[in-house]
Amino acid sequence: MPREFELIDWIAAQQAAGGLVRLAAGDDLAVLDWPGGELLLLGVDQVLDGVHFDSSQHTPLQIGRKVMNRNLSDCAAMACLPAAAVATVALPRGTPMDYARDLYSGMKEAADAFACAIVGGDTAAWDGKLVMTVSILGRSGGIAPVLRKGARPGDLLCVTGALGGSLLGRHMDFVPRIELARTLAATGKVAAMIDISDGLSRDLSHICKAAGVGAIVDAARLPIHGDAVKLSQRDGVTPLDHALHDGEDHELLLAWRADAPPPPPAVPIGWFTAERGMWLDLAGQRRPLDPRGWEHSF
Amino acid sequence: MPREFELIDWIAAQQAAGGLVRLAAGDDLAVLDWPGGELLLLGVDQVLDGVHFDSSQHTPLQIGRKVMNRNLSDCAAMACLPAAAVATVALPRGTPMDYARDLYSGMKEAADAFACAIVGGDTAAWDGKLVMTVSILGRSGGIAPVLRKGARPGDLLCVTGALGGSLLGRHMDFVPRIELARTLAATGKVAAMIDISDGLSRDLSHICKAAGVGAIVDAARLPIHGDAVKLSQRDGVTPLDHALHDGEDHELLLAWRADAPPPPPAVPIGWFTAERGMWLDLAGQRRPLDPRGWEHSF
């Protein structure tokens, strides 16, 4: 039977102090130096077998990458730089050590791409299915965090890529839009931002609620991903509905405050309104757009 | 069926900005101001149904308190002040909303006792059993973090309370030793420290390994908890073995570098040695002390 501390030793050997990290994993808490005056951001996300991934289909490298990338995508949504992360894993009894290491390696590969240090964690074994969590610490790095509540009537509603059908595979292998987020935010024209994790309609409703505004989505402008078309052929749901309601695209949805549209790949797909509520504009006809997308029911 | 966002709204309503917290839950990440020059500490712990608690026996308030207190106890081990926490919960389908709220209220009650803000989290539902995690952010607050690796030969080995038998109930209802840790560390005489979560023998081995030293525990000085005696009557394991190897006491184990013993409730129970290894001194007879305690096998 693989043993916890064997795994922890192995993980500790993958780590090093440096940069902000004064002391990496191996003590009760990691220690980080913090440059004076910077804002610090903190968040967490989890992935559960059978909900966010399927351990019978996805590799441990993919699963590890996904839980880290979900958190990195939250950094993108705030336009902050990831600085450090801690992780937990609840391993099903009987998990081979190589599998556990691959989970970590997947996280590390995703974190390394953005110079984010994994500085600690907690490992346990149980009779249940695989659960992983990552908590991420971000830093403002010279760009004010972009909040959801900043949207105002008249702002352009924009998205950074084609949506829908992520279930065909992209939900496991997306690239967090951190660099794009910071490039856009550095212009000072991004009034509000979120990453699309629960689905466009649901995540747009989060922005609208936070800002006390409404929004209109122009169906003709919505970039629909090829996967949404493919999935439509399987399940009969229209590609448009897939693009509007599917979760885990992890593109950015943002309020752009300028007369000229944002630079590509961001494209305008509608605008924010003073009247609360959400509408879909279908060739000039407006119909209510209800938040669907992903919500956990328990 | 209770809905995730209903719960999240309720949680958000429990929170407020203030102090270090510029923006609490309700966005992708919490935003915290950080005073220049302070060290920041980051850690995470999880609790799993059937491993760290038993949902058929323990109340959701107890479970929520425990996952938070495990993290606060990590702050005690480093002698830092808790500043902010984020949490995840994986709820079994069919969990009543009141139960989910009690989980949060338990966390909040424990965090409030140390002015620690819960600034974010992630909620999901699944077919598995209850899983909770808390990630905690600490700040040095004028006292240098106490590391495991600081122990040197000749340091007194001390513990802050009686050990053993926590399984009878104390493992769910301990009080993190943060104030005591900071009082002790402020003397400058605490060379190394850890909280006893995996068991004295296991956690002492962590200090010895990190510091490259050995240790001798004097059995006659080890404070044995009444629960260890009670449990001994049930399971035939000696009270001493319970005190040496039981996990989740969450007392502090520390290396004290001074001629005089530490102030109570800390008491010397042995000393650190240049020779590596761990020994138990039983009325002058030494026998090897193997790290047992808690280790997850998977």
Side-chain angles (χ1 to χ4, degrees):
Chain A
M1 276 189 307
R3 292 178 313 116
E4 177 190 3
F5 292 112
E6 193 186 331
L7 177 63
I8 290 173
D9 285 347
W10 179 83
I11 290 174
Q14 315 298 308
Q15 307 192 342
L20 293 174
V21 183
R22 182 175 284 206
L23 176 75
D27 216 299
D28 293 279
L29 294 172
V31 179
L32 298 103
D33 285 306
W34 213 255
E38 270 212 304
L39 289 172
L40 179 158
L41 298 94
L42 181 64
V44 65
D45 251 320
Q46 65 189 328
V47 294
L48 310 173
D49 191 5
V51 179
H52 305 92
F53 64 90
D54 177 348
S55 62
S56 70
Q57 280 191 40
H58 302 124
T59 68
L61 281 168
Q62 283 183 302
I63 297 164
R65 275 201 303 263
K66 178 168 184 174
V67 65
M68 182 60 68
N69 277 332
R70 278 166 64 92
N71 281 275
L72 293 167
S73 188
D74 282 329
C75 288
M78 307 291 281
C80 74
L81 286 171
V86 290
T88 67
V89 57
L91 295 166
R93 282 187 216 294
T95 301
M97 180 62 80
D98 281 351
Y99 189 96
R101 288 182 180 176
D102 277 357
L103 291 171
Y104 177 80
S105 297
M107 285 196 295
K108 188 160 190 310
E109 184 190 310
D112 281 350
F114 296 97
C116 177
I118 303 175
V119 297
D122 186 58
T123 307
W126 74 327
D127 295 324
K129 292 207 235 176
L130 179 62
V131 178
M132 296 184 79
T133 79
V134 165
S135 294
I136 201 146
L137 194 68
R139 60 191 182 90
S140 48
I143 293 176
V146 179
L147 313 185
R148 294 178 184 176
K149 68 179 179 187
R152 295 287 171 269
D155 290 346
L156 283 176
L157 170 65
C158 303
V159 71
T160 56
L163 304 179
S166 73
L167 204 59
L168 291 183
R170 276 155 43 235
H171 74 112
M172 297 300 296
D173 290 301
F174 59 94
V175 176
R177 291 287 208 176
I178 292 175
E179 285 150 27
L180 177 59
R182 288 181 63 84
T183 301
L184 291 170
T187 65
K189 294 172 182 167
V190 180
M193 193 153 61
I194 195 169
D195 67 313
I196 299 179
S197 53
D198 296 328
L200 166 59
S201 61
R202 175 68 63 183
D203 288 313
L204 179 56
S205 78
H206 293 324
I207 291 185
C208 287
K209 186 181 171 189
V213 299
I216 296 172
V217 175
D218 182 349
R221 293 192 179 200
L222 190 63
I224 295 174
H225 198 282
D227 287 343
V229 179
K230 267 192 219 162
L231 200 54
S232 174
Q233 288 159 357
R234 261 198 223 170
D235 63 12
V237 174
T238 66
L240 176 63
D241 273 347
H242 275 298
L244 286 170
H245 304 298
D246 285 1
E248 303 200 318
D249 278 301
H250 292 287
E251 292 293 347
L252 299 169
L253 189 67
L254 57 106
W256 180 257
R257 191 165 301 161
D259 294 329
V267 291
I269 59 167
W271 58 95
F272 288 93
T273 61
E275 188 186 352
R276 297 199 188 191
M278 302 195 306
W279 294 271
L280 185 68
D281 188 310
L282 274 163
Q285 292 227 320
R286 283 192 192 168
R287 65 173 205 210
L289 175 63
D290 290 325
R292 303 216 306 253
W294 185 261
E295 179 176 24
H296 292 279
S297 289
F298 48 94
Chain B
M1 276 191 305
R3 291 179 312 117
E4 177 189 4
F5 293 112
E6 193 186 331
L7 176 62
I8 291 172
D9 284 347
W10 180 83
I11 290 174
Q14 315 298 308
Q15 308 191 340
L20 293 175
V21 182
R22 182 175 283 206
L23 175 75
D27 216 298
D28 293 278
L29 293 171
V31 179
L32 298 102
D33 285 306
W34 214 254
E38 270 212 304
L39 290 173
L40 177 160
L41 298 94
L42 181 64
V44 65
D45 252 319
Q46 64 189 329
V47 295
L48 310 173
D49 191 4
V51 179
H52 306 91
F53 64 90
D54 178 347
S55 62
S56 70
Q57 280 190 41
H58 302 124
T59 68
L61 281 168
Q62 283 183 301
I63 298 165
R65 276 202 302 264
K66 177 168 185 174
V67 66
M68 182 60 70
N69 277 334
R70 279 167 62 93
N71 281 275
L72 292 167
S73 189
D74 282 329
C75 289
M78 308 289 282
C80 73
L81 287 172
V86 290
T88 66
V89 57
L91 295 165
R93 282 188 215 294
T95 301
M97 180 62 80
D98 281 353
Y99 189 97
R101 288 182 180 176
D102 276 357
L103 291 171
Y104 177 80
S105 297
M107 286 197 293
K108 188 160 191 310
E109 184 190 310
D112 281 351
F114 295 97
C116 177
I118 302 175
V119 296
D122 185 59
T123 307
W126 73 327
D127 295 324
K129 292 208 235 177
L130 178 62
V131 177
M132 296 185 78
T133 78
V134 165
S135 294
I136 201 145
L137 195 68
R139 60 192 182 90
S140 48
I143 293 176
V146 180
L147 312 186
R148 295 178 184 176
K149 68 179 179 188
R152 294 288 171 270
D155 289 347
L156 284 175
L157 170 65
C158 303
V159 71
T160 57
L163 304 180
S166 73
L167 204 60
L168 291 183
R170 278 156 41 237
H171 75 112
M172 298 300 295
D173 289 302
F174 60 93
V175 176
R177 291 288 209 175
I178 291 174
E179 285 151 26
L180 178 59
R182 287 181 64 83
T183 301
L184 291 171
T187 65
K189 294 172 183 166
V190 180
M193 193 152 62
I194 196 169
D195 67 316
I196 299 179
S197 54
D198 295 328
L200 166 58
S201 62
R202 174 69 62 184
D203 288 313
L204 179 56
S205 78
H206 292 324
I207 291 185
C208 288
K209 185 180 172 190
V213 298
I216 296 172
V217 175
D218 182 351
R221 294 191 177 200
L222 190 62
I224 295 174
H225 199 281
D227 288 342
V229 179
K230 267 192 218 163
L231 200 54
S232 173
Q233 288 159 357
R234 260 198 225 171
D235 62 14
V237 174
T238 66
L240 176 63
D241 273 346
H242 276 299
L244 286 170
H245 304 298
D246 284 1
E248 304 200 319
D249 278 301
H250 293 287
E251 292 293 347
L252 299 169
L253 189 67
L254 56 106
W256 179 257
R257 191 166 302 162
D259 294 329
V267 291
I269 59 167
W271 57 95
F272 288 93
T273 61
E275 188 185 352
R276 296 198 188 191
M278 302 195 307
W279 295 271
L280 185 68
D281 186 312
L282 272 165
Q285 293 226 319
R286 284 192 191 168
R287 65 172 204 210
L289 175 62
D290 290 324
R292 303 215 306 254
W294 185 262
E295 180 177 23
H296 292 278
S297 289
F298 50 92

